[in-house]
Amino acid sequence: MPINLELLCKQVCDLSKQTGNFIRLERHKFNTEQIEVKGKNDFVSYVDKTSEKMIIEGLERLLPEAGFIAEEGTSTKKGEHYNWIIDPLDGTTNFIHGLPCFAISIALMRDQQLVMGIIYEVNFDECFYAWEGSKAYLNEKEIRVSNIDQLYGSLIATGFPYYDYSRLNEYMELFKYFMQHTHGLRRLGSAATDLAYVACGRFEGFYEYCLQPWDVAAGAFIVQQAGGKVTDFNGGENYLFGREIVAGNSAFFDEFLDSVKQHFK
Ligand code: IPD
Ligand code: CA
Ligand code: CA
């Protein structure tokens, strides 16, 4: 039977909101002794792990044949055609420091093609979503990327490299360039939220390297359904597993991507 992607997307939005409620409640009880260190500047807690378990149990019920690519490794089941890509808490550093801006990010891939994306930003109760063939939505209202058509006039989001400093010089030169040629730069600390904000026009563009598929899968899909463009740093399509991404509104994208390319040769 063909899958009703619209219905499934709404069900996954509900699941994300239920899981988001859990995250919100735990934030009030959280203390720093509950933090585990996965690697340099890479943190996790029972909140990330429980969130992932709740999401995977829910998705198993909704689409039993699908497999998982999930950050905390709760399930490594491989689906023949369908696989979910999950970040159960994107913005863990914000979460453990009591800062706003953390989100759940869930994407569905059919074979190698993204067909659904859901990002639930917990603090503002904002659910961004889209499915194959649909527009993009924020809490049931249609969203579009902005139409600012030049770099000067844009607000750009990025993430700072926090363990792989091999391209730090290029990164800093580009940072300086954008500082002088845009309205400004922001670093929210959640790549999923950065992408969701590009999709609804709050940011014109986003770029970052060292990212994982679960950081970008849902957001990249939603940006495209909202009329935006997404590539890797060379303008190619390897942004999901290639660990680097440029996303932006279509009107200023070429100028934005050229600036990234020139600095990351
Ligand atoms: C991180 C956030 C952050 C980005 C990092 C990610 P996490 O994800 O998306 O914005 O700069 O590269 O690892 O660890 O909070 O899920
Ligand atoms: Ca993440
Ligand atoms: Ca995470």
Side-chain angles (χ1 to χ4, degrees):
M1 241 208 347
I3 294 167
N4 181 337
L5 289 176
E6 178 174 358
L7 175 65
L8 182 60
C9 187
K10 305 250 157 92
Q11 290 167 322
V12 179
C13 287
D14 290 343
L15 174 63
S16 303
K17 289 178 196 171
Q18 283 158 23
T19 312
N21 284 340
F22 158 76
I23 295 174
R24 202 179 294 114
L25 289 172
E26 292 309 309
R27 181 48 246 157
H28 300 298
K29 305 180 206 157
F30 195 77
N31 72 62
T32 48
E33 279 160 28
Q34 294 161 310
I35 301 168
E36 297 165 43
V37 180
K38 286 200 285 186
K40 184 176 166 60
N41 291 335
D42 193 5
F43 308 108
V44 70
S45 80
Y46 74 93
V47 180
D48 306 60
K49 292 177 186 173
T50 309
S51 167
E52 188 168 289
K53 202 163 164 284
M54 290 170 74
I55 292 165
I56 285 183
E57 281 171 8
L59 295 176
E60 279 274 35
R61 281 194 295 274
L62 292 173
L63 192 63
E65 71 257 44
F68 299 97
I69 300 171
E71 180 175 14
E72 308 308 338
T74 307
S75 169
T76 52
K77 179 182 149 195
K78 297 274 166 279
E80 193 185 344
H81 295 296
Y82 286 97
N83 285 285
W84 296 102
I85 306 179
I86 302 165
D87 191 330
L89 178 49
D90 185 59
T92 294
T93 305
N94 284 345
F95 178 87
I96 63 185
H97 285 268
L99 283 174
C101 201
F102 38 86
I104 291 167
S105 176
I106 303 174
L108 181 62
M109 197 166 60
R110 184 180 59 231
D111 301 317
Q112 292 308 305
Q113 189 78 30
L114 292 170
V115 293
M116 189 181 294
I118 294 97
I119 294 171
Y120 180 60
E121 203 288 320
V122 175
N123 304 277
F124 293 120
D125 186 27
E126 288 191 323
C127 192
F128 302 80
Y129 54 96
W131 62 94
E132 188 178 44
S134 79
K135 311 267 189 199
Y137 299 91
L138 159 54
N139 291 351
E140 294 175 24
K141 290 209 175 85
E142 191 184 324
I143 50 171
R144 293 279 302 166
V145 292
S146 81
N147 52 19
I148 302 283
D149 63 0
Q150 51 182 340
L151 203 52
Y152 188 76
S154 67
L155 187 63
I156 305 295
T158 186
F160 302 145
Y162 62 92
Y163 68 94
D164 177 354
Y165 304 121
S166 59
R167 299 160 94 188
L168 199 53
N169 288 340
E170 294 92 319
Y171 184 86
M172 292 313 291
E173 289 307 313
L174 178 60
F175 196 80
K176 284 192 228 167
Y177 180 82
F178 281 147
M179 202 181 278
Q180 296 169 79
H181 292 87
T182 66
H183 274 184
L185 288 141
R186 298 289 181 270
R187 196 283 196 248
L188 298 183
S190 161
T193 307
D194 291 326
L195 285 161
Y197 284 9
V198 171
C200 68
R202 292 176 187 162
F203 290 137
E204 274 60 52
F206 167 67
Y207 69 101
E208 186 168 347
Y209 76 88
C210 256
L211 291 174
Q212 300 290 343
W214 44 78
D215 297 315
V216 298
F221 181 75
I222 298 170
V223 167
Q224 286 167 318
Q225 297 306 108
K229 290 190 179 170
V230 184
T231 67
D232 56 34
F233 281 9
N234 287 314
E237 289 182 3
N238 193 21
Y239 55 83
L240 187 54
F241 294 98
R243 308 185 55 140
E244 54 182 47
I245 188 166
V246 184
N249 85 30
S250 302
F252 99 131
F253 190 82
D254 290 348
E255 193 187 355
F256 182 45
L257 174 63
D258 273 351
S259 316
V260 176
K261 266 191 196 166
Q262 275 165 26
H263 289 84
F264 279 90
K265 283 184 184 135

